[in-house]
Amino acid sequence: DEHSLEVQLPFLQVVLGKFNVVPIVFHEYTLENCENLAKAITKYCSAENTVVIASTDLYHGYSYKECVRMDGLTIESIKNGDAAEFLKGSNNNMYQACGAGPVAALMLAANGWGGSQIELVAQTNSSDVTGKKDDWTVGYASLVAFQKN
């Protein structure tokens, strides 16, 4: 049922051209699993030659107002960079990201490469795109983690 690779791959092919990919899919979003994945990524991948992408949707539901509120909280938690807090909040429905585990693993891997700063690149939701504010709404955002100078 996981479809993030088939969604991300065409974008990567356009932007990067030829490249190697190692898709990783997991669903047990415990802090320990996220830490183990992050350790493997930082051990076997150079921060200089590797792009790590975590794919997730954000809010899913019928309330545009709740989408805006919940996505704001989720994005701020990610930007704060505390993977354990983000996972805990996601598991307790304080934040909403169906791919909270991959996002947390990416946050931890970025820290393993010497610390990171996370910034929001873009944010939208399906209602803003379609103009239908009283319909099913899914939140989206693009964030980037990079090494602090």
Side-chain angles (χ1 to χ4, degrees):
D1 293 334
E2 176 55 47
H3 59 271
S4 60
L5 183 63
E6 67 190 60
V7 171
Q8 295 296 330
L9 201 52
F11 294 110
L12 295 171
Q13 290 169 324
V14 168
V15 173
L16 300 176
K18 187 176 179 178
F19 62 94
N20 295 319
V21 64
V22 177
I24 301 170
V25 178
F26 73 109
H27 188 65
E28 294 289 328
Y29 297 163
T30 64
L31 182 58
E32 180 182 12
N33 284 348
C34 294
E35 289 171 337
N36 287 336
L37 178 55
K39 286 176 190 171
I41 290 169
T42 57
K43 180 178 180 180
Y44 294 106
C45 302
S46 163
E48 297 168 3
N49 299 320
T50 303
V51 174
V52 179
I53 298 170
S55 181
T56 183
D57 294 336
L58 300 177
Y59 173 87
H60 293 74
Y62 282 102
S63 172
Y64 174 80
K65 185 177 178 180
E66 182 64 7
C67 177
V68 172
R69 185 190 76 78
M70 183 66 78
D71 285 357
L73 293 172
T74 302
I75 290 165
E76 282 306 309
S77 178
I78 295 168
K79 286 172 56 178
N80 287 337
D82 186 338
E85 189 276 331
F86 173 69
L87 274 177
K88 182 179 177 185
S90 295
N91 289 333
N92 293 328
N93 297 316
M94 291 173 51
Y95 314 123
Q96 198 173 85
C98 54
V103 171
L106 174 68
M107 293 164 71
L108 292 162
N111 284 331
W113 281 322
S116 69
Q117 182 171 332
I118 301 172
E119 290 187 6
L120 179 67
V121 175
Q123 177 184 1
T124 192
N125 61 61
S126 58
S127 291
D128 283 341
V129 172
T130 65
K132 298 178 182 178
K133 308 265 173 140
D134 60 348
D135 203 357
W136 182 257
T137 303
V138 179
Y140 305 102
S142 177
L143 295 100
V144 62
F146 54 92
Q147 193 166 358
K148 295 177 185 176
N149 290 330

